[in-house]
Amino acid sequence: HFGCEHKAAVDEAMAYAHAYKADLNLITGDITQSGLKHEFEAAAEWIKALPDPVFVTVGNHDVPYWDVLARLFWPWRAFESATGHPAHDHELKGADFMVRGVTTARGWQARLNWSKGVIDLEQTARAAQALRQTPPDTLRILACHHPLVEMIDAPMTGEVKRGDRAARIFGEAGV
């Protein structure tokens, strides 16, 4: 959440990423607090300094919160421009993994709490098909912002519309 980040924690995360040299640096959204230009600039600078490979998908805070027209018509334009990562149908293949992103966040939705998730089953089917086509020994990774299935006694909920159905589709695809 650049815009309300804790500098020491951000610095430590960067140091860890460079020291650990992971097979993948995966960021599942909410890179900004309110989708403001300076927040995207700070997030983009930080993301670009991470060691490769990096995969970023969008979260509900990554929309221009105060710009109603942008929320309605081009909610992911600033995210895509800042990160260089697409908001939809994003994938990355590594030597022994494949990660595919699906967008569960929305610029707006017809319910009071816009922070809750929604998953498109057509996007789910495309992602599941792409993941299913990987070799059997490949680690299949789904990257999304909201949990598709609710955890028992969790302090927060994602309440992803169609999340249970999407989780079954991904399970059948070996994710």
Side-chain angles (χ1 to χ4, degrees):
H1 289 252
F2 281 87
C4 66
E5 72 277 10
H6 188 280
K7 182 171 176 14
V10 169
D11 292 345
E12 285 296 319
M14 181 62 70
Y16 181 84
H18 281 279
Y20 183 65
K21 299 192 190 316
D23 294 329
L24 173 66
N25 289 293
L26 178 62
I27 302 170
T28 58
D30 283 359
I31 63 170
T32 70
Q33 178 62 25
S34 300
L36 298 173
K37 183 179 179 185
H38 74 274
E39 294 172 353
F40 276 115
E41 289 170 349
E45 180 180 322
W46 188 81
I47 290 167
K48 287 177 180 131
L50 286 169
D52 286 332
V54 177
F55 188 97
V56 187
T57 191
V58 296
N60 51 287
H61 280 256
D62 300 326
V63 296
Y65 189 81
W66 302 107
D67 186 341
V68 175
L69 289 178
R71 285 183 78 94
L72 292 171
F73 297 110
W74 48 89
W76 310 123
R77 182 183 289 170
F79 169 87
E80 291 176 332
S81 177
T83 66
H85 292 260
H88 298 284
D89 296 319
H90 186 17
E91 73 180 42
L92 175 68
K93 294 179 183 177
D96 56 357
F97 71 86
M98 178 181 173
V99 60
R100 179 77 183 223
V102 295
T103 304
T104 59
R106 296 292 180 263
W108 70 276
Q109 42 183 310
R111 60 177 160 173
L112 291 178
N113 190 341
W114 290 4
S115 72
K116 303 302 180 182
V118 178
I119 193 162
D120 179 291
L121 294 180
E122 288 179 21
Q123 185 184 41
T124 297
R126 288 191 306 272
Q129 181 61 23
L131 289 159
R132 184 181 289 114
Q133 292 177 353
T134 62
D137 58 342
T138 301
L139 177 61
R140 298 169 181 165
I141 304 167
L142 169 68
C144 60
H145 181 64
H146 298 91
L148 299 181
V149 178
E150 297 298 324
M151 294 178 59
I152 297 169
D153 295 327
M156 295 179 66
T157 64
E159 296 179 16
V160 176
K161 288 183 180 179
R162 298 179 290 280
D164 287 340
R165 288 182 12 214
R168 280 193 294 279
I169 291 168
F170 287 122
E172 291 167 2
V175 176

